Amino acid sequence: MVKQLCILGSTGSIGTQTLDVARAHPDRYGVYALCAHRSIDKLVAQAQEFRPAVVCIADEGLYEELNRRIEAISPDIKVWAGSDAIAQVVAMPSVDVVVAAMVGYAGLRPTIEAIKAGKTIALANKETLVVAGEIICELAARYHTPILPVDSEHSAIFQSLVGEDRNEIEKILLTASGGPFRTFSPEQMRSVTAAEALKHPNWDMGAKITIDSASMMNKGFEVIEAKWLFGVEVEKIQVLVHPQSIVHSAVQFADGAIKAQLGAPDMRLPIQYALSFPERLASDFPRADLLALKNLTFEEPDLNRFPNLGLAYEATHRGGNMPCVLNAANEVANLAFREGRCGFLQMSEIIAETMAKTSFIAKPTYEEYVATDAEARRIAAEFI
Ligand code: MG
C-alpha cells in the first residue's frame, strides 16, 4: 500500500530530504500535501515534480502568487494559506503520515491536530515536545497515535529499543557532536559570529537548529524530547560528546547491556526509518566504514562553556511551563544572534533571565502554553 505523506516544512532541510526518500520509493510513498512557511519558489518546484493534491503556505500574503503559479502547473492542485489551513491539511482523510518538520513553536498546533486525527506522526520538530510534551503524550495515548522520531539520536534510541518490549531502561546515552566550538575557550566563544556558528562539522541542517547545535541548546532540547518520547526521567539521560557523530545514541539496560545504532551522519536514514518502520528499505546512503575510522571518542559536556544544556535540565526539573519559556526565549535569542543583534554567549544570559522573570504555571493548559510563549518572547526581547 502506498502511504500518503503530508509534509509540514517541505522546503526545509528535513522536508527536502523526506522528498528524496519519497522520490526513491514511489511504490511506497505518495506526496499528498506540501506545506511551507514562505519559500515559494522551492514549493512551486516541488509541486511541479510531485503533483500533490494540496499545497499550503503559512504566509497568507503569498497566497495570490502561489495560487497563480500552481494554477499554471495544474488546476487540480488545491492551494491553501495560513495557519488554520495547515491545521486542516494534516487531518485530511487521505493523509496517512504527517511529517512534522516545521521550525520551532509553529509546529505545535498542526502536530496536535494531526494527533487528534489519528495520523502517524514522523516527528522532526523537537520544539513541539519541549514546549508541551505532557499534552502531546496524553493526546497521543488517548487517540492511539504513533509518534515516530526523526531526530537522529531519538531514532537511534528507538531502533535500540526494537524487540525490547517492556525491558527496563537503565540509562539513555544521548550523543552530541559538540558543534563547531567544542574546543573553543570562553574568550574565543565570546566573539564568534553567526557565519562561524553556521558551519557545523558533521551535519547539514537548517540555520536555526545549526545555531542551537553550536550553543548545545539543541542537545538540551533533545534531553527533554527523549524524556517524553521514551518515558524516562532526565536523571537517566546522559549526554556524551562524541565528535565523530557515528554512534547516534544508545540505550543501557538493567543487565548492563548497551545497544546503539551507528551509521554515517545522514538524516535521510532516520527519516526513511520513521516512514518504513518496522521494515528497513534498501538505500544508497553513504555507509560508515568502521575500518576507516581511527577512533570513536566520548567526553563529558562542559556545562560552564555550554550553559544552555544546564538551563534545559533546570527547565525540565522545574517542569510546568518552564520548558516552554526556555524554548520561546531561545527562539528570540537564536534569531537575534543570527541577525547580529546579540553575542553568542549572550544567548544563554537572555534565556536564564527570561526563565527567572516569566510567570510559572505548574500544570498549563494549551491556552496557557500559548500565553506563556507570548509572555516569554516579550520578556526575552527586552534583554536584547
Ligand atoms: Mg539531533
Side-chain angles (χ1 to χ4, degrees):
M1 198 194 86
V2 175
K3 283 183 191 166
Q4 294 296 337
L5 310 180
C6 168
I7 305 175
L8 305 178
S10 70
T11 57
S13 176
I14 297 292
T16 53
Q17 293 180 85
T18 302
L19 290 171
D20 290 342
V21 172
R23 186 184 294 113
H25 300 281
D27 51 326
R28 293 192 172 248
Y29 306 113
V31 177
Y32 188 81
L34 295 170
C35 303
H37 184 207
R38 63 164 88 93
S39 299
I40 193 165
D41 293 339
K42 280 190 196 169
L43 184 59
V44 169
Q46 290 176 345
Q48 173 89 46
E49 180 183 354
F50 289 95
R51 303 294 173 119
V54 186
V55 295
C56 196
I57 194 141
D59 185 340
E60 292 179 59
L62 295 170
Y63 173 77
E64 296 297 337
E65 183 188 349
L66 181 64
N67 195 36
R68 182 170 45 75
R69 292 172 66 178
I70 295 292
E71 179 84 6
I73 295 170
S74 163
D76 298 331
I77 303 175
K78 293 187 188 74
V79 180
W80 293 357
S83 54
D84 289 341
I86 293 175
Q88 284 171 25
V89 172
V90 298
M92 290 175 83
S94 301
V95 171
D96 298 307
V97 182
V98 173
V99 179
M102 294 166 87
V103 177
Y105 175 82
L108 178 60
R109 185 172 162 222
T111 304
I112 286 177
E113 297 304 326
I115 292 171
K116 286 182 177 169
K119 308 301 186 187
T120 296
I121 313 289
L123 187 71
N125 176 280
K126 66 193 77 182
E127 291 90 342
T128 293
L129 284 174
V130 170
V131 169
E134 197 159 14
I135 286 182
I136 294 289
C137 290
E138 281 171 12
L139 284 173
R142 193 191 315 160
Y143 291 91
H144 306 288
T145 305
I147 299 182
L148 300 167
V150 165
D151 211 347
S152 61
E153 295 81 358
H154 304 76
S155 178
I157 295 162
F158 182 72
Q159 292 179 56
S160 301
L161 289 169
V162 169
E164 297 296 342
D165 296 321
R166 295 184 186 284
N167 285 332
E168 193 194 325
I169 298 172
E170 188 171 83
K171 206 176 189 183
I172 284 177
L173 303 166
L174 187 72
T175 53
S177 71
F181 309 137
R182 181 175 59 89
T183 59
F184 276 37
S185 68
E187 291 68 36
Q188 286 175 298
M189 286 168 82
R190 205 172 310 278
S191 56
V192 297
T193 63
E196 290 171 286
L198 284 168
K199 286 188 200 122
H200 195 278
N202 303 343
W203 294 98
D204 182 12
M205 305 176 288
K208 194 260 178 182
I209 187 174
T210 305
I211 300 300
D212 285 345
S213 295
S215 72
M216 288 197 81
M217 181 54 91
N218 182 57
K219 208 49 56 180
F221 284 170
E222 290 184 354
V223 169
I224 301 172
E225 186 185 8
K227 164 193 153 94
W228 292 115
L229 280 173
F230 306 111
V232 170
E233 286 310 309
V234 291
E235 288 72 19
K236 291 185 173 180
I237 303 171
Q238 183 181 10
V239 173
L240 300 176
V241 175
H242 167 52
Q244 298 83 18
S245 294
I246 296 295
V247 177
H248 295 310
S249 280
V251 179
Q252 182 174 311
F253 294 94
D255 60 355
I258 296 175
K259 282 171 75 177
Q261 184 254 332
L262 286 71
D266 188 323
M267 281 310 297
R268 291 172 302 173
L269 197 158
I271 291 168
Q272 178 171 293
Y273 190 71
L275 298 180
S276 69
F277 172 80
E279 278 183 87
R280 289 188 185 276
L281 305 183
S283 85
D284 59 2
F285 309 149
R287 268 52 178 166
D289 179 358
L290 296 184
L291 289 175
L293 290 164
K294 297 226 168 34
N295 49 20
L296 296 178
T297 60
F298 301 90
E299 60 197 68
E300 252 185 293
D302 181 349
L303 296 188
N304 291 318
R305 285 185 304 125
F306 296 97
N308 282 353
L309 192 52
L311 289 172
Y313 274 99
E314 185 194 326
T316 156
H317 281 134
R318 291 175 68 188
N321 63 342
M322 267 306 126
C324 175
V325 175
L326 176 86
N327 176 70
N330 181 62
E331 286 193 24
V332 171
N334 180 308
L335 182 65
F337 175 66
R338 276 183 281 153
E339 293 179 349
R341 290 183 285 116
C342 83
F344 187 76
L345 295 180
Q346 212 190 331
M347 287 194 287
S348 304
E349 293 164 17
I350 293 165
I351 296 161
E353 298 271 12
T354 306
M355 283 170 63
K357 289 216 160 65
T358 308
S359 346
F360 178 71
I361 305 171
K363 183 99 171 78
T365 61
Y366 173 75
E367 289 71 26
E368 285 168 329
Y369 278 122
V370 173
T372 295
D373 179 76
E375 184 189 355
R377 280 171 199 269
R378 185 174 47 68
I379 292 171
E382 286 169 8
F383 290 112
I384 293 164

